[in-house]
Amino acid sequence: MSIIDKISALFRQEKRATVSTTEQPAITNLKVVTMVNTIAISTDMETLYLIDNGRAIAYSLLETRGIIIGLLDGQLTVATAVQPPKMDMEIELPTNGGAIARAAANASSGKIIKLSIAKTAWSTVFDRKNAALCFIGATEVEIRASGDGELQFKADLEFFELNQENVYVRRTKDSIVVAALPFKKDKGTNA
């Protein structure tokens, strides 16, 4: 037997030895969870991303028409607005020193807020169970050495109920304008 035949035989024997006759146990307790899509805002506060099924679809917050966020069958949807909603209300300055300025109350329209981006980074969270879209602002984040005492920090929060309203979002110079667009009530027709 030649040396090449001996080496070939040696490798053939190892392959047979490595084959296992034991079977892996069947996995029968699988739980399939449907991932709910979400949205995220870029760190430069210029782009909103709809993250859905392994893709991130970008929408510019600098678009003059703005964007609309809503729900379709429990999932978030984002679209470029056809035209910006009428917002001729005066925006009140925040009274608590926070980064959220609110519009004067007006029964004819939903709430309108301005999220300051001067010292604040904003992010979003969507709670599917309550159909709530939350804007969370981390204001004036500072790094401290351990032992410097407790950090007194309170995040700015603003909620929108997407089962009752759509949300209009657009960035201006130094803030992000967010307006609730309540669903129009169907007056119904008697046919």
Side-chain angles (χ1 to χ4, degrees):
M1 187 182 268
S2 72
I3 187 100
I4 295 176
D5 291 335
K6 289 180 183 178
I7 293 172
S8 308
L10 181 66
F11 284 119
R12 281 188 295 238
Q13 289 175 355
E14 279 188 33
K15 285 183 183 178
R16 289 185 197 135
T18 59
V19 174
S20 174
T21 58
T22 60
E23 292 184 28
Q24 292 183 346
I27 300 172
T28 58
N29 198 7
L30 291 177
K31 182 179 180 183
V32 178
V33 178
T34 303
M35 175 71 177
V36 177
N37 62 359
T38 190
I39 59 174
I41 300 174
S42 64
T43 55
D44 62 4
M45 303 287 126
E46 293 181 359
T47 308
L48 182 136
Y49 295 96
L50 173 66
I51 302 169
D52 183 38
N53 199 23
R55 326 172 270 184
I57 305 165
Y59 292 87
S60 176
L61 292 172
L62 300 173
E63 168 70 41
T64 56
R65 294 177 293 173
I67 59 174
I68 305 288
I69 302 170
L71 281 182
L72 180 63
D73 198 24
Q75 294 277 349
L76 287 170
T77 59
V78 180
T80 303
V82 175
Q83 64 184 15
K86 294 180 182 177
M87 293 185 287
D88 54 352
M89 310 169 98
E90 287 294 319
I91 303 290
E92 297 176 351
L93 296 175
T95 57
N96 61 356
I100 300 176
R102 301 184 192 296
N106 184 344
S108 65
S109 65
K111 69 180 171 183
I112 301 171
I113 59 171
K114 277 190 176 182
L115 308 173
S116 172
I117 59 172
K119 296 182 181 179
T120 307
W122 294 93
S123 62
T124 58
V125 173
F126 175 62
D127 178 19
R128 183 177 185 182
K129 181 180 176 183
N130 297 312
L133 179 64
C134 178
F135 288 85
I136 305 170
T139 58
E140 301 181 40
V141 176
E142 62 182 90
I143 299 172
R144 295 185 182 193
S146 61
D148 283 351
E150 268 193 52
L151 177 64
Q152 297 295 324
F153 174 76
K154 183 177 179 187
D156 285 320
L157 300 170
E158 193 62 46
F159 290 91
F160 293 88
E161 296 179 45
L162 294 181
N163 55 1
Q164 298 177 11
E165 59 199 8
N166 290 322
V167 176
Y168 170 81
V169 183
R170 182 170 87 84
R171 179 172 165 187
T172 60
K173 294 177 187 172
D174 60 349
S175 62
I176 297 173
V177 175
V178 184
L181 304 174
F183 297 146
K184 293 179 181 177
K185 302 285 185 204
D186 185 15
K187 296 180 178 155
T189 59
N190 294 331

